[in-house]
Coordinates of all heavy atoms in Angstrom, one line a residue:
L25 N -4.8 0.6 9.6 CA -3.9 1.6 9.0 C -2.9 2.2 10.0 O -1.9 2.7 9.5 CB -4.8 2.8 8.4 CG -5.6 2.3 7.2 CD1 -6.7 3.4 7.0 CD2 -4.9 1.9 6.0
Y26 N -3.2 2.1 11.3 CA -2.3 2.6 12.3 C -1.2 1.5 12.5 O -1.4 0.4 12.5 CB -3.0 2.9 13.5 CG -3.5 4.3 13.7 CD1 -4.8 4.6 13.2 CD2 -2.7 5.4 14.1 CE1 -5.4 5.8 13.4 CE2 -3.3 6.7 14.2 CZ -4.5 6.9 13.8 OH -5.0 8.2 13.8
G27 N -0.1 2.0 13.0 CA 1.0 1.1 13.4 C 0.9 0.5 14.8 O -0.3 0.6 15.4
S28 N 2.0 -0.2 15.2 CA 1.9 -0.8 16.6 C 1.9 0.0 17.7 O 1.4 -0.4 18.8 CB 3.1 -1.8 16.5 OG 4.3 -1.1 16.5
N29 N 2.3 1.2 17.6 CA 2.4 2.2 18.8 C 1.9 3.5 18.4 O 2.6 4.4 18.3 CB 3.8 2.2 19.3 CG 3.9 3.0 20.6 OD1 2.9 3.1 21.3 ND2 5.0 3.6 20.9
P30 N 0.6 3.6 18.0 CA 0.0 5.0 17.5 C -0.1 5.9 18.5 O -0.4 5.8 19.6 CB -1.2 4.5 16.8 CG -1.7 3.4 17.7 CD -0.5 2.6 18.1
V31 N -0.1 7.2 18.0 CA -0.6 8.4 18.8 C -1.5 9.2 17.9 O -1.1 9.6 16.7 CB 0.6 9.3 19.2 CG1 0.0 10.5 20.0 CG2 1.5 8.5 20.2
F32 N -2.8 9.5 18.3 CA -3.7 10.2 17.7 C -3.9 11.5 18.6 O -4.2 11.4 19.7 CB -5.1 9.4 17.6 CG -6.3 10.2 17.0 CD1 -6.2 11.1 16.1 CD2 -7.5 9.8 17.5 CE1 -7.3 11.7 15.6 CE2 -8.7 10.5 17.1 CZ -8.6 11.4 16.1
M33 N -3.7 12.7 17.8 CA -3.8 13.9 18.6 C -5.0 14.8 17.9 O -4.8 15.6 17.1 CB -2.5 14.6 18.4 CG -1.4 14.0 19.1 SD 0.3 14.7 18.8 CE 0.6 13.9 17.2
P34 N -6.2 14.5 18.5 CA -7.3 15.3 18.0 C -7.3 16.6 18.6 O -6.8 16.8 19.7 CB -8.5 14.5 18.4 CG -8.1 13.8 19.6 CD -6.5 13.4 19.4
Q35 N -7.9 17.6 17.8 CA -8.0 19.0 18.3 C -8.8 19.1 19.6 O -9.8 18.4 19.8 CB -8.7 19.8 17.2 CG -8.8 21.3 17.6 CD -9.4 21.9 16.3 OE1 -8.6 22.4 15.5 NE2 -10.6 22.1 16.2
H36 N -8.4 19.8 20.5 CA -9.2 20.2 21.8 C -9.3 19.0 22.6 O -10.2 18.8 23.4 CB -10.6 20.7 21.5 CG -10.7 21.9 20.6 ND1 -10.0 23.0 20.9 CD2 -11.2 22.1 19.4 CE1 -10.2 23.9 19.9 NE2 -11.0 23.3 18.9
A37 N -8.3 18.0 22.6 CA -8.4 16.8 23.4 C -6.9 16.5 23.7 O -6.0 16.7 23.0 CB -9.1 15.7 22.7
P38 N -6.8 15.6 24.8 CA -5.4 15.1 25.1 C -4.9 14.1 24.0 O -5.9 13.5 23.3 CB -5.5 14.3 26.4 CG -6.9 14.9 26.9 CD -7.7 15.3 25.7
A39 N -3.7 13.9 23.8 CA -3.2 12.9 22.8 C -3.7 11.5 23.3 O -3.7 11.2 24.5 CB -1.7 13.0 22.7
L40 N -4.0 10.7 22.3 CA -4.4 9.3 22.6 C -3.3 8.4 22.3 O -2.9 8.4 21.1 CB -5.6 8.9 21.8 CG -6.9 9.9 22.1 CD1 -8.0 9.6 21.2 CD2 -7.4 9.7 23.7
V41 N -2.6 7.7 23.2 CA -1.5 7.0 23.1 C -1.7 5.5 23.1 O -2.3 5.1 24.1 CB -0.4 7.4 24.1 CG1 0.9 6.6 23.9 CG2 -0.1 8.9 24.0
G42 N -1.4 4.7 22.2 CA -1.6 3.3 22.1 C -2.8 2.8 21.4 O -3.7 3.6 21.2
R43 N -2.9 1.7 21.1 CA -3.9 1.2 20.2 C -5.3 1.2 20.8 O -6.3 1.5 20.3 CB -3.6 -0.2 19.7 CG -2.5 -0.2 18.7 CD -2.2 -1.5 18.0 NE -3.3 -2.1 17.1 CZ -3.4 -1.5 15.9 NH1 -2.6 -0.6 15.4 NH2 -4.4 -2.0 15.1
D44 N -5.3 0.8 22.2 CA -6.5 0.8 22.9 C -7.1 2.2 23.1 O -8.4 2.5 22.9 CB -6.4 0.2 24.3 CG -6.2 -1.4 24.2 OD1 -6.5 -2.0 23.2 OD2 -5.7 -1.8 25.3
A45 N -6.3 3.1 23.4 CA -6.7 4.5 23.5 C -7.1 5.1 22.2 O -8.3 5.9 22.1 CB -5.6 5.5 24.1
V46 N -6.5 4.8 21.1 CA -6.9 5.3 19.8 C -8.2 4.7 19.3 O -9.1 5.4 18.9 CB -5.7 4.9 18.8 CG1 -6.3 5.3 17.4 CG2 -4.5 5.8 19.0
R47 N -8.4 3.5 19.6 CA -9.7 2.7 19.3 C -10.9 3.5 20.1 O -11.8 3.8 19.5 CB -9.7 1.3 19.7 CG -10.9 0.6 19.4 CD -11.0 -0.9 19.8 NE -10.2 -1.7 18.9 CZ -10.4 -2.1 17.7 NH1 -11.6 -1.9 17.3 NH2 -9.6 -2.8 17.0

Side-chain angles (χ1 to χ4, degrees):
L25 295 166
Y26 273 94
S28 58
N29 188 26
V31 177
F32 172 35
M33 294 173 275
Q35 180 173 275
H36 306 301
L40 303 171
V41 179
R43 294 186 68 77
D44 292 340
V46 170
R47 177 181 294 280

